[in-house]
């Protein structure tokens, strides 16, 4: 078993202990036209208002392209690795013009495929008005895997399905 596989197998074996003690750190980031800004941590409602006010003026696609270039991955490789359809990726490409809003699970799949850390993932989610929540077990599993640098979308989805009884990343 590879070291990468050890992360998911350890999580599977010690799920209750790990997830009950794991806390998603609140990364209060806002992405303003491709630049990550960290506002003062005054309140969650303030952060949500900032994100909502900028989500209409910016879109996800420039951030995706920036990470693709940094990680030397082609768009078609990205959406295949993320298990995102070409149609959905095309909608993301034109979301600024069309107002399309990808689902949280789609963004998470792209973040996993890009092998982003938790801060980068939160920033990408913030663009579309989402964030990771300690109240959602699947979010905790995804965040934990990211913190351990485990990015296999298929394995993570299977663990979520096994532990929660429902699909999350492919829903």
């Amino acid at each position: 078993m590879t070291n990468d596989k050890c992360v998911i197998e350890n999580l599977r074996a010690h799920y209750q202990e790990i997830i009950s003690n794991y806390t998603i750190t609140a990364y209060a980031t806002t992405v303003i036209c491709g630049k990550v800004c960290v506002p003062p941590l005054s309140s969650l409602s303030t952060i949500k208002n900032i994100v909502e006010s900028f989500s209409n003026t910016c879109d996800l696609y420039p951030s995706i392209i920036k990470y693709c270039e940094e990680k030397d991955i082609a768009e078609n490789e990205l959406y295949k690795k993320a298990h995102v359809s070409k149609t959905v990726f095309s909608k993301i490409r034109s979301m600024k013009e069309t107002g399309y809003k990808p689902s949280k699970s789609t963004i998470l799949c792209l973040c996993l495929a890009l092998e982003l850390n938790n801060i980068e993932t939160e920033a990408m989610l913030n663009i579309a008005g989402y964030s990771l929540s300690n109240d959602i077990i699947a979010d905790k599993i995804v965040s934990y895997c990211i913190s351990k640098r485990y990015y296999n979308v298929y394995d993570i989805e299977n663990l979520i399905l096994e532990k929660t009884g429902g699909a999350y990343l492919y829903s």
Side-chain angles (χ1 to χ4, degrees):
M1 183 181 328
T2 67
N3 192 28
D4 284 347
K5 277 286 192 191
C6 289
V7 170
I8 201 83
E9 292 308 319
N10 184 51
L11 182 54
R12 181 172 275 116
H14 305 285
Y15 172 78
Q16 279 303 119
E17 179 184 345
I18 292 171
I19 293 303
S20 64
N21 293 317
Y22 183 78
T23 302
I24 297 170
T25 304
Y27 299 106
T29 59
T30 301
V31 178
I32 303 171
C33 297
K35 295 183 182 170
V36 177
C37 301
V38 181
L41 291 174
S42 55
S43 73
L44 185 58
S45 63
T46 303
I47 294 165
K48 285 182 179 179
N49 289 339
I50 292 168
V51 171
E52 287 172 10
S53 68
F54 288 108
S55 65
N56 292 331
T57 60
C58 299
D59 65 87
L60 195 62
Y61 188 67
S63 295
I64 291 170
I65 294 306
K66 178 186 82 134
Y67 287 120
C68 281
E69 289 170 358
E70 285 176 10
K71 297 176 184 278
D72 195 29
I73 184 170
E75 285 183 38
N76 63 334
E77 292 173 36
L78 173 65
Y79 64 75
K80 287 176 187 173
K81 185 177 177 184
H83 301 278
V84 171
S85 73
K86 186 176 182 177
T87 303
V88 168
F89 195 80
S90 179
K91 288 179 182 180
I92 292 170
R93 187 181 296 120
S94 62
M95 68 185 273
K96 191 167 186 169
E97 293 81 34
T98 63
Y100 174 75
K101 182 177 178 180
S103 69
K104 179 178 176 180
S105 60
T106 297
I107 297 169
L108 284 173
C109 286
L110 291 167
C111 291
L112 289 167
L114 287 165
E115 299 184 0
L116 302 183
N117 64 35
N118 273 315
I119 294 172
E120 294 164 330
T121 298
E122 194 68 40
M124 292 281 276
L125 288 166
N126 286 176
I127 293 170
Y130 301 115
S131 65
L132 293 171
S133 170
N134 280 308
D135 296 331
I136 301 172
I137 296 297
D139 280 359
K140 288 179 83 167
I141 292 171
V142 171
S143 181
Y144 177 82
C145 289
I146 290 170
S147 73
K148 298 298 181 184
R149 300 176 51 122
Y150 189 80
Y151 300 103
N152 186 304
V153 176
Y154 181 78
D155 286 349
I156 295 169
E157 175 69 349
N158 281 338
L159 181 64
I160 291 169
L161 185 59
E162 176 185 316
K163 297 302 181 183
T164 67
Y168 187 68
L169 296 174
Y170 299 154
S171 58

